[in-house]
Amino acid sequence: MSELTPRILKRETHSSRARLSVVAAILMTLLAVYGLLEAILRAVGQPPWLIDPLAFAQRLAGLPEGIEPMLLGAIGVLLLLVGLIFLAYAVLPGRRARHIIPDPRIAIVVDDEVIASALAKRARLAAGVTREQVMVVVSARAVQVNVRPTSGIRLEESHIRAAVEAELAAMALEPAPEVTVKLSGSGVVGV
């Protein structure tokens, strides 16, 4: 494998922070342009467009005077939430819904929906039910297989789990998800 392959795989399985960075940059640019506009208007002796920068700075320094405590609290909570969102995007791993299939020659990245479709087919064949009776959800570390049996036909959860785990073993996904199978308590009318 090439030395670039691990970087390519990481880029394909993790989401970019570019969108949030662009939003932050645009907000900061607009704030700076507004501040520059107000400073220019003050320098040429014109009235402020929205608020005088010196009056705003004095008012900010004098907080919490002149503002309702509830409004000040609401503004604080809003700023805290925005800060937490930016912090979460910076710290938490942004993972896309994809898995890696190791191969010595090429980089293989598979979307979780494709994996779910293959596992649903395998579970459906193992259970002997129709397509509509099986739903599979694939996440980073787990595979959830939900099966609604046909009324009057008993299904073995261990048999379905073994079939799905065999399909996962053949795929050799990284990271390897853990399989759980849930059989619905109520069945559907057979076709």
Side-chain angles (χ1 to χ4, degrees), residues 9-32:
L9 290 173
K10 182 169 171 63
R11 186 178 68 215
E12 289 298 319
T13 57
H14 291 77
S15 62
S16 170
R17 312 293 187 195
R19 288 187 192 134
L20 193 63
S21 299
V22 168
V23 168
I26 288 172
L27 289 175
M28 295 308 291
T29 302
L30 290 174
L31 187 63

Side-chain angles (χ1 to χ4, degrees), residues 53-65:
L54 288 179
F56 178 73
Q58 288 172 350
R59 188 140 186 205
L60 192 62
L63 284 177
E65 273 181 32

Side-chain angles (χ1 to χ4, degrees), residues 70-145:
M70 289 295 282
L71 180 61
L72 189 61
I75 292 170
V77 168
L78 180 67
L79 288 175
L80 175 72
L81 289 176
V82 170
L84 286 176
I85 290 170
F86 276 95
L87 181 67
Y89 268 96
V91 174
L92 297 176
R95 189 185 173 287
R96 291 182 179 174
R98 297 177 180 170
H99 278 81
I100 297 170
I101 296 178
D103 188 279
R105 296 178 293 140
I106 59 174
I108 302 173
V109 178
V110 183
D111 193 63
D112 284 354
E113 289 180 18
V114 174
I115 297 167
S117 176
L119 296 177
K121 181 178 180 182
R122 186 67 181 257
R124 178 173 52 89
L125 292 174
V129 296
T130 64
R131 183 182 311 239
E132 293 80 21
Q133 291 173 263
V134 177
M135 185 181 79
V136 177
V137 178
V138 177
S139 64
R141 304 233 181 255
V143 171
Q144 176 73 44
V145 181

